[in-house]
Amino acid sequence: MGKMLASQVGLVVLLIIASLTEAENMRYKDPKVGVNKRVRDLLSRMTLDEKIGQMVQIERKVATSDVMKNYFIGSVLSGGGSVPAPKASAEAWVNMVNELQKGAMSTRLGIPMIYGIDAVHGHNNVYNATIFPHNVGLGVTRDPALIKKIGAATALEVRATGIPYAFAPCIAVCRDPRWGRCYESYSEDHRIVQMMTEIIPGLQGDIPAKYPKGFPYVNSGKTSVAGCAKHFVGDGGTQKGINENNTVIPFKELIDIHMPAYPDSISKGVATVMVSYSSWNGIKMHANRQLVTGYLKNKLKFRGFVISDWEGIDRITTPPHANYTYSVQAGVLAGIDMVMVPNNYTEFIDDLKLLVKNNIIPMKRIDDAVRRILRVKFIMGLFENPIADLSLVNEVGSQKHRDIAREAVRKSLVLLKNGKSANKPLLPLAKKAPKILVAGSHADNLGYQCGGWTIEWQGATGNDLTRGTTILNAVKSAVDPKTQVVFNENPDSNFVKSGGFSYAIVVVGEPPYAETNGDSLNLTIPEPGPSTIKNVCGGVKCVVVVVSGRPVVMQPYLPTIDALVAAWLPGTEGQGVTDVLFGDYGFTGKLARTWFKSVNQLPMNVGDHHYDPLFPFGFGLATKPNKPY
């Protein structure tokens, strides 16, 4: 009898030990356990296939619930213009993301995937979202508090669609406006770019005091997103501004001009860093171990994860994808942790697995990558809240966010000329004029006003792409009800001269573009812009509003223009332009980029020995508002 009892007690004890061991074993699922311990525990359970899966980011077009489950995929993204359906609602986005997340969660270890998107000036892929001015305009404001508010508003709209990760901010220092991505850069001066990294605590939340140096920080509530400082490093310094080209400068210049915003971003807890397509002195950044591992990870002590750009490792070779196995080897050994594949994921997985099994890529490199990815996922609360709900859907395009965008438009405008003589200013314009002319290709075109990275990757034309206010409609709202507003996109000179107009507002500029499609060696406003300026300004007092992603050739037209305003790419809130044109607010913006006379001067940045601009860095006329606010 005694023996039997003893054996039963022994069995109970064994069962208790087993269950305690099991609970102990599942430490990674316990939010009370420290992040490092959770990471260590989870990593110790993972197979090679599960680890490699975490390093893979695929496009939503090739992602299904089964793909997520079968390949242990760690991340999904929407490329520019990649949406669940045209004009999809926030609910449709949430449902799509959750469907993929359920696939990820159904795996043996239940590791949630992280969904990323290019929310680079607001949640710009999404119909009805607030589109903020592009960075080229925001740099003009020199207002970090405003930029932080934009980050927080963007984070809310991104989270409203079930997405917890934004590929922003771009902290490139654009040194040559011929670069097609120049509008993604806040300034040619790294000090302004550093100031604007305040968008990171807007996106991610404020980093707590005494937080460990270099560690990512994302507020684990539902209102913040993981950010991404990009593109590491020197992307804005390529020769002739050619996208994805070679930045040829000494190491000291790379560090002094292009690097400074990275330590700022890391000190603010940025979760991820994206590597640049460009090269530095002939070495592709995606294969540059010295800078990615040596400088970013070891010297700057960055503890978040490093992500590649879209097919970035493919482009290590010329032509791209010429020797993919080599590219996988070079990219992962350089220190890239997550690879934006984004389509042919089985090839990447097979190649990486082979490289590890043949000891070409050591297991400790894989573990470093996965440790960093898991660290970000744990810190941001993804394990506790993997499934998105519909509680924030009304944040998309909310009036509060549109008001912030309108303020940003006002503060980003730069008044470059006001009157043919200083004692006869044209601005602010009279609201009670009997009859005014609005002209130009960009006056009534929301797509042009928003620029690239808006609904579509390359941007779009027309007024049906999303909800917003064109500059023409803003003019109609701003003027006195008795004022007659005549819109003629490209009037001839007779129409202008015989129209009896008090003055004209001419809105012209560049069509939308993104990346390489925006590279330009001439930087001219396409026709009919110049003809419209000539016809209108030759016949009536005119203010020309330039909508562009960078300074463009203006010198030939300047003598005929009474007033000139740089509006950059203002986004959906056109009333921000008229707020200042009509004097409800004063002009305060100062150039964050040099405005050249001729492209032959380029590259030309403030401080250069050959500096001879049309309008210098820091220039901007001020006006007083008609009534105090």
Side-chain angles (χ1 to χ4, degrees):
M1 187 76 183
K3 278 185 182 176
M4 199 174 191
L5 187 62
S7 66
Q8 282 176 335
V9 170
L11 186 63
V12 169
V13 169
L14 279 173
L15 286 170
I16 290 168
I17 291 167
S19 64
L20 284 172
T21 309
E22 182 59 23
E24 177 73 12
N25 275 351
M26 304 305 264
R27 293 188 78 191
Y28 77 92
K29 290 193 172 178
D30 182 355
K32 295 189 206 71
V33 173
V35 167
N36 286 344
K37 286 179 180 167
R38 293 177 83 183
V39 171
R40 206 175 305 129
D41 178 58
L42 179 50
L43 195 62
S44 71
R45 302 163 180 279
M46 294 172 76
T47 64
L48 179 58
D49 285 343
E50 287 165 334
K51 288 176 181 178
I52 287 174
Q54 284 302 301
M55 297 172 68
V56 180
Q57 185 179 66
I58 64 173
E59 222 291 328
R60 55 156 287 281
K61 288 173 185 168
V62 298
T64 65
S65 185
D66 282 346
V67 167
M68 302 303 292
K69 181 180 179 180
N70 296 337
Y71 293 93
F72 312 104
I73 300 295
S75 185
V76 181
L77 86 151
S78 275
S82 177
V83 297
K87 300 190 177 179
S89 65
E91 288 89 340
W93 280 93
V94 168
N95 292 338
M96 175 198 70
V97 174
N98 282 346
E99 180 64 25
L100 298 174
Q101 186 66 283
K102 284 168 189 165
M105 299 297 292
S106 68
T107 53
R108 180 178 76 93
L109 295 169
I111 304 172
M113 66 92 183
I114 183 170
Y115 196 108
I117 197 163
D118 283 281
V120 296
H121 62 142
H123 198 11
N124 46 255
N125 265 17
V126 173
Y127 182 74
N128 196 31
T130 309
I131 306 296
F132 294 90
H134 268 298
N135 291 356
V136 66
L138 297 181
V140 162
T141 71
R142 292 167 172 75
D143 186 343
L146 172 63
I147 286 5
K148 185 177 180 183
K149 279 199 292 186
I150 289 171
T154 301
L156 273 174
E157 298 206 14
V158 172
R159 286 303 292 252
T161 57
I163 297 171
Y165 179 23
F167 305 129
C170 176
I171 53 172
V173 182
C174 173
R175 303 290 285 175
D176 192 325
R178 292 175 291 187
W179 186 36
R181 302 194 83 149
C182 203
Y183 65 73
E184 297 185 53
S185 165
Y186 294 108
S187 178
E188 70 192 42
D189 184 339
H190 67 80
R191 284 167 296 195
I192 290 179
V193 179
Q194 287 175 272
M195 201 188 288
M196 297 296 119
T197 59
E198 195 58 17
I199 196 168
I200 292 167
L203 291 164
Q204 301 191 152
D206 286 310
I207 194 163
K210 296 183 180 166
Y211 194 73
K213 183 175 160 49
F215 272 71
Y217 175 77
V218 185
N219 185 303
S220 59
K222 292 181 182 178
T223 58
S224 298
V225 296
C228 180
K230 66 184 191 183
H231 308 84
F232 187 85
V233 61
D235 47 345
T238 59
Q239 290 181 303
K240 295 186 178 174
I242 296 167
N243 192 41
E244 305 182 20
N245 200 27
N246 194 12
T247 299
V248 182
I249 48 173
F251 180 69
K252 186 179 184 317
E253 251 179 79
L254 184 78
I255 299 304
D256 291 350
I257 295 171
H258 298 281
M259 192 66 81
Y262 284 94
D264 289 74
S265 300
I266 294 164
S267 71
K268 290 173 182 179
V270 76
T272 73
V273 170
M274 186 183 291
V275 183
S276 177
Y277 286 130
S278 58
S279 302
W280 172 56
N281 293 343
I283 302 167
K284 294 269 188 181
M285 280 307 311
H286 274 74
N288 195 321
R289 190 168 190 281
Q290 176 201 351
L291 288 171
V292 176
T293 295
Y295 203 89
L296 178 64
K297 288 183 172 181
N298 296 346
K299 187 172 173 63
L300 298 183
K301 303 278 190 281
F302 175 60
R303 296 289 177 262
F305 69 79
V306 175
I307 186 167
S308 83
D309 208 332
W310 178 282
E311 292 179 350
I313 62 165
D314 303 50
R315 301 187 204 185
I316 288 171
T317 59
T318 308
H321 209 86
N323 182 345
Y324 194 62
T325 306
Y326 166 74
S327 292
V328 172
Q329 177 185 332
V332 173
L333 285 177
I336 295 168
D337 303 311
M338 184 180 280
V339 176
M340 194 185 292
V341 178
N343 296 312
N344 198 355
Y345 55 89
T346 54
E347 183 187 17
F348 173 78
I349 289 167
D350 292 346
D351 280 7
L352 183 51
K353 201 167 169 182
L354 192 69
L355 288 162
V356 175
K357 290 203 159 160
N358 290 335
N359 295 320
I360 294 163
I361 294 178
M363 199 54 159
K364 68 175 188 194
R365 171 74 273 271
I366 300 298
D367 286 347
D368 171 55
V370 179
R371 188 178 294 116
R372 288 164 177 275
I373 292 162
L374 295 177
R375 182 181 291 144
V376 169
K377 289 182 177 184
F378 278 120
I379 283 170
M380 64 192 291
L382 206 51
F383 279 78
E384 284 65 59
N385 292 300
I387 303 297
D389 59 40
L390 301 177
S391 60
L392 296 173
V393 291
N394 293 334
E395 296 288 351
V396 175
S398 72
Q399 194 53 50
K400 190 172 136 215
H401 297 164
R402 290 179 185 276
D403 291 343
I404 296 168
R406 184 170 175 173
E407 178 190 354
V409 175
R410 286 197 292 271
K411 291 180 173 176
S412 64
L413 301 176
V414 184
L415 181 56
L416 298 171
K417 181 178 180 179
N418 190 13
K420 290 194 171 154
S421 62
N423 58 355
K424 285 194 179 169
L426 179 62
L427 300 178
L429 299 169
K431 287 184 180 182
K432 290 193 169 179
K435 188 180 183 187
I436 64 176
L437 172 64
V438 179
S441 51
H442 289 54
D444 191 32
N445 195 315
L446 197 59
Y448 281 10
Q449 205 171 290
C450 291
W453 289 110
T454 308
I455 305 300
E456 300 289 344
W457 174 44
Q458 292 294 327
T461 183
N463 294 332
D464 187 45
L465 72 161
T466 193
R467 191 164 69 83
T469 306
T470 67
I471 293 168
L472 172 65
N473 285 335
V475 170
K476 288 175 177 174
S477 301
V479 295
D480 188 86
K482 295 191 192 75
T483 299
Q484 189 186 349
V485 178
V486 176
F487 175 58
N488 187 326
E489 196 169 304
N490 188 23
D492 63 31
S493 52
N494 289 334
F495 177 88
V496 176
K497 283 172 184 163
S498 61
F501 300 109
S502 308
Y503 57 80
I505 301 169
V506 179
V507 192
V508 293
E510 297 185 298
Y513 53 79
E515 301 188 39
T516 304
N517 287 5
D519 287 357
S520 168
L521 292 176
N522 59 36
L523 292 179
T524 51
I525 294 172
E527 283 292 353
S531 304
T532 309
I533 293 172
K534 188 175 152 213
N535 292 345
V536 177
C537 298
V540 65
K541 276 188 184 170
C542 75
V543 52
V544 172
V545 178
V546 181
V547 174
S548 67
R550 52 201 164 188
V552 287
V553 173
M554 285 310 295
Q555 193 180 30
Y557 321 119
L558 211 49
T560 61
I561 293 170
D562 294 278
L564 177 62
V565 175
W568 315 108
L569 297 167
T572 49
E573 306 314 300
Q575 316 94 306
V577 176
T578 52
D579 282 345
V580 187
L581 286 182
F582 290 102
D584 293 337
Y585 294 80
F587 278 92
T588 56
K590 308 288 180 202
L591 288 179
R593 303 208 55 77
T594 297
W595 203 295
F596 59 87
K597 288 175 179 169
S598 148
V599 287
N600 300 332
Q601 297 173 296
L602 299 175
M604 177 177 66
N605 294 283
V606 63
D608 288 353
H609 63 88
H610 66 292
Y611 199 66
D612 180 28
L614 183 61
F615 302 107
F617 176 90
F619 179 79
L621 302 171
T623 59
K624 288 199 160 54
N626 286 335
K627 52 180 186 283
Y629 270 78

